[in-house]
Amino acid sequence: GTGVVTLKAVGVRRSVCPRAFPWGPSDSVNEVKLEQVLEGRLLSVEMQSGDVLEILCKEVLVEQAEE
């Protein structure tokens, strides 16, 4: 979908935040994945630049902004 969404990672164990490509002023996201893994939940966010942010955590809270 489209619109503004806030993702909150709770109980973060590891985060990977590469900047292999320039991010620029855009706040767009191409894709978000949430997987169950042995260590908890793995949140992957692909930025418009192509960089993929990964956060390993206990849980992820999703809040849809009101329009």
Side-chain angles (χ1 to χ4, degrees):
T2 61
V4 176
V5 175
T6 300
L7 301 173
K8 293 183 182 181
V10 179
V12 174
R13 293 179 160 199
R14 180 182 77 229
S15 63
V16 178
C17 186
R19 284 194 69 167
F21 308 105
W23 286 4
S26 174
D27 58 0
S28 296
V29 170
N30 290 340
E31 183 177 35
V32 176
K33 294 181 187 175
L34 184 59
E35 302 172 67
Q36 183 68 45
V37 294
L38 278 176
E39 302 87 358
R41 307 287 295 211
L42 179 62
L43 174 64
S44 302
V45 180
E46 181 183 319
M47 304 300 290
Q48 188 175 24
S49 68
D51 286 316
V52 178
L53 314 179
E54 292 185 338
I55 301 171
L56 179 62
C57 57
K58 181 178 178 182
E59 66 177 313
V60 175
L61 306 176
V62 180
E63 298 175 5
Q64 181 76 40
E66 293 185 26
E67 297 183 33

